[in-house]
Amino acid sequence: MSEENDDAVLQTLLDRLLRFRLPRALELKKRVDAGQCLTDADIDFLKMALEDAQNGQKFVVRNPQFHILGSQIVQLYDAIVSGAMKNETQRGDR
């Protein structure tokens, strides 16, 4: 795949991240940090977001300027999932 093609795909992925994925992920993080559990719709969103991240990984690997951003997104998703699991466990202990 050409570098020009990479640029177009990366631009599309960044646009989707900034307009849709990141705002919703930050909202989920805020809710999870407040002790709330994820809904089925939230889980579906995370599945799609992680699938997007997996599909975009090959472009990020070839473009080092995106390594830090990719790492930060993975950390955000991990924090959401870990927090949600903790909240579910605490909810079950009640």
Side-chain angles (χ1 to χ4, degrees):
M1 195 173 275
S2 72
E3 188 175 311
E4 198 172 287
N5 230 0
D6 271 10
D7 290 346
V9 171
L10 284 166
Q11 183 60 47
T12 300
L13 291 172
L14 279 173
D15 185 53
R16 188 180 309 158
L17 174 68
L18 294 174
R19 295 172 88 201
F20 304 108
R21 302 284 190 237
L22 188 58
R24 179 122 184 239
L26 291 172
E27 181 58 35
L28 289 179
K29 174 81 165 76
K30 188 184 300 185
R31 287 183 25 224
V32 166
D33 288 348
Q36 295 181 22
C37 296
L38 297 177
T39 66
D40 288 341
D42 296 333
I43 293 168
D44 288 342
F45 163 78
L46 283 172
K47 285 179 184 178
M48 286 189 305
L50 290 170
E51 188 176 300
D52 258 5
Q54 184 72 28
N55 291 336
Q57 183 178 0
K58 62 185 170 198
F59 298 101
V60 172
V61 167
R62 290 196 303 250
N63 294 276
Q65 68 272 28
F66 292 103
H67 288 184
I68 292 173
L69 176 61
S71 173
Q72 290 172 333
I73 295 302
V74 169
Q75 289 173 1
L76 175 60
Y77 292 155
D78 181 60
I80 293 167
V81 171
S82 296
M85 289 173 52
K86 178 183 168 194
N87 293 348
E88 285 290 338
T89 301
Q90 288 176 345
R91 184 181 195 190
D93 290 342
R94 294 180 193 171

